[in-house]
């Protein structure tokens, strides 16, 4: 493809939409069975999609390491490191955990500059620092029409993947990957709920941090998010910030002393570049029509709850192949 991978335009935020959470699975077949049984959705093996004649990656790019699952409007990417040709050895220390979050950007140069201004270094697919804008023109291992960059976890706290696709590449990706927003200009409004859990749509992505200032710098200075709220629990002292990034609610929680979640920050996961993170991608939550319905279905599948409140629940990770799933009936922030 001859088109440039650099977009000439830049809005208030170069981030246009959530791409996907990235989960590291030890067994994608078990995970596919879990999604079908618990969520009532079918998953796609990457290798099956790669057989589509419209599949846009370069012919020599290895294409059978992921399991892709649409859960309402959230595209969940589960990578099995043993199949991933770029897998850093450290990834095997983070099996069955959320590894990172990925966003789509419309201007890779703009986001590179924003990250640089925020003091956040940018890495390539192999974990090497991108020292100047000229290197952004090299594309990625996927295609010369796709730019994949990562943010240094030392600076950002999280492993964040940012993806730019040229207009020429977008349709060839969207069709085989069933990624309709890229070709229809937005998620369609679904009628009713989805599956046995009664899921309507994604609600929020939650992270744990020991440094809310760093989190705010990442979200607002580097990525252009809007702060929705900042609160402190008067009883526990736990602090919480909510951001809106490309229409997605991102929650950061700084646990106080005595909070059971505090220990998780002593064992953060590794990102795809092999860097250990400082923050923890804690859970992905969905808005549901009936929380009691969700409770009953989870119980019927042997899934315990770590959080069980009037308007929200969070599953035990051990019962969900390492993943914490949240469900809520409120959109309040």
């Amino acid at each position: 493809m001859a088109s440039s991978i650099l977009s000439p335009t830049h809005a208030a935020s170069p981030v246009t939409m959530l791409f996907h959470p990235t989960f590291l699975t030890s067994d994608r077949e078990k995970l596919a069975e879990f999604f079908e049984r618990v969520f009532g959705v079918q998953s796609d093996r990457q290798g099956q999609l790669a057989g589509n004649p419209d599949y846009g990656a370069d012919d020599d790019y290895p294409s059978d390491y992921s399991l892709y699952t649409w859960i309402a409007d959230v595209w969940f990417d589960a990578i099995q490191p043993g199949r991933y040709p770029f897998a850093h050895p450290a990834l095997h220390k983070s099996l069955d955990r959320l590894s990172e979050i990925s966003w789509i950007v419309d201007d890779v140069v703009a986001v590179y500059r924003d990250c640089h201004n925020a003091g956040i270094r940018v890495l390539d697919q192999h974990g090497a620092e991108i020292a100047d804008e000229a290197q952004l023109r090299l594309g990625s291992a996927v295609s010369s029409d796709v730019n994949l960059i990562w943010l240094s976890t030392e600076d950002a706290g999280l492993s964040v993947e940012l993806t730019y696709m040229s207009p020429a590449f977008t349709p060839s990706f969207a069709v085989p990957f069933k990624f309709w927003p890229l070709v229809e200009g937005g998620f369609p409004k679904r009628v009713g709920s989805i599956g046995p859990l009664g899921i309507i749509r994604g609600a929020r992505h939650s992270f744990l941090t020991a440094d809310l200032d760093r989190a705010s710098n990442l979200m607002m200075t580097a990525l252009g998010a809007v702060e929705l709220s900042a609160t402190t629990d008067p009883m526990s002292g736990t602090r919480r910030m909510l951001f809106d990034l490309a229409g997605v609610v991102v929650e950061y929680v700084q646990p106080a002393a005595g909070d059971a979640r505090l220990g998780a920050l002593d064992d953060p996961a590794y990102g795809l570049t092999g860097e250990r993170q400082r923050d923890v991608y804690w859970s992905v939550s969905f808005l549901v029509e009936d929380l009691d319905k969700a409770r009953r279905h989870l119980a019927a599948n042997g899934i315990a709850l770590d959080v069980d409140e009037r308007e929200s629940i969070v599953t035990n990770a051990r019962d969900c192949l390492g993943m914490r799933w949240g469900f809520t009936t409120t959109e309040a922030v």
Side-chain angles (χ1 to χ4, degrees):
M1 300 179 183
S3 60
S4 170
I5 63 170
L6 301 180
S7 170
T9 61
H10 174 39
S13 170
V15 178
T16 59
M17 65 184 296
L18 175 69
F19 197 9
H20 54 74
T22 299
F23 184 78
L24 299 179
T25 181
S26 59
D27 189 330
R28 64 178 183 170
E29 297 308 317
K30 285 185 178 179
L31 189 59
E33 186 278 330
F34 175 88
F35 280 131
E36 184 172 358
R37 174 171 52 86
V38 177
F39 284 82
V41 295
Q42 298 284 329
S43 300
D44 293 302
R45 284 75 174 166
Q46 185 184 22
Q48 296 170 330
L49 301 181
N52 189 307
D54 293 324
Y55 187 79
D58 291 348
D59 292 340
D60 58 353
Y61 183 74
S63 296
D64 195 22
Y65 52 81
S66 276
L67 182 81
Y68 300 123
T69 309
W70 276 107
I71 308 170
D73 58 351
V74 175
W75 196 53
F76 194 80
D77 178 13
I79 289 177
Q80 188 166 330
R83 291 175 168 267
Y84 184 53
F86 308 102
H88 190 280
L91 294 188
H92 294 277
K93 301 177 183 178
S94 297
L95 289 176
D96 302 316
R97 299 180 64 179
L98 280 166
S99 174
E100 60 186 36
I101 192 166
S102 178
W103 302 89
I104 289 178
V105 300
D106 64 0
D107 189 331
V108 70
V109 170
V111 77
Y112 177 86
R113 291 173 179 171
D114 289 346
C115 290
H116 183 268
N117 290 337
I120 297 175
R121 285 166 290 180
V122 177
L123 312 177
D124 65 16
Q125 196 166 4
H126 304 285
E129 184 176 353
I130 297 176
D132 56 56
E133 294 177 14
Q135 289 181 263
L136 296 172
R137 301 175 183 275
L138 300 178
S140 68
V142 176
S143 168
S144 59
D145 277 299
V146 177
N147 210 307
L148 301 176
I149 60 176
W150 277 261
L151 305 187
S152 166
T153 63
E154 184 177 351
D155 304 330
L158 289 174
S159 183
V160 178
E161 177 189 353
L162 302 173
T163 301
Y164 173 76
M165 300 180 193
S166 75
F169 185 87
T170 297
S172 64
F173 168 84
V175 174
F177 284 82
K178 306 177 184 179
F179 212 92
W180 61 86
L182 291 173
V183 288
E184 295 183 7
F187 291 104
K189 293 183 179 179
R190 295 179 180 266
V191 178
S193 60
I194 302 172
L197 287 163
I199 292 174
I200 298 171
R201 61 180 173 274
R204 64 174 59 98
H205 298 257
S206 299
F207 301 88
L208 304 181
T209 186
D211 189 340
L212 282 175
D213 289 338
R214 183 180 62 218
S216 181
N217 183 56
L218 165 65
M219 296 301 297
M220 299 176 68
T221 308
L223 301 182
V226 175
E227 181 182 323
L228 297 174
S229 65
T231 58
T232 301
D233 187 308
M235 298 296 291
S236 68
T238 291
R239 299 171 62 197
R240 177 174 178 254
M241 293 186 75
L242 292 177
F243 303 92
D244 179 338
L245 181 56
V248 176
V249 176
V250 177
E251 175 187 48
Y252 272 90
V253 174
Q254 183 173 333
D259 191 313
R261 295 170 294 185
L262 192 60
L265 289 169
D266 294 330
D267 183 30
Y270 289 83
L272 293 187
T273 59
E275 285 192 313
R276 197 173 198 188
Q277 302 178 70
R278 296 183 173 190
D279 299 337
V280 173
Y281 195 168
W282 188 243
S283 64
V284 176
S285 298
F286 293 90
L287 185 70
V288 297
E289 59 178 1
D290 184 336
L291 204 55
D292 284 337
K293 175 181 177 180
R295 284 189 182 97
R296 290 192 298 269
H297 180 69
L298 292 169
N301 281 274
I303 297 173
L305 302 178
D306 281 350
V307 176
D308 190 355
E309 300 175 344
R310 185 171 63 89
E311 295 181 330
S312 64
I313 58 178
V314 179
T315 65
N316 183 293
R318 290 189 301 273
D319 296 335
C320 298
L321 303 179
M323 181 68 197
R324 289 179 189 84
W325 299 104
F327 304 95
T328 180
T329 53
T330 178
E331 296 184 73
V333 297

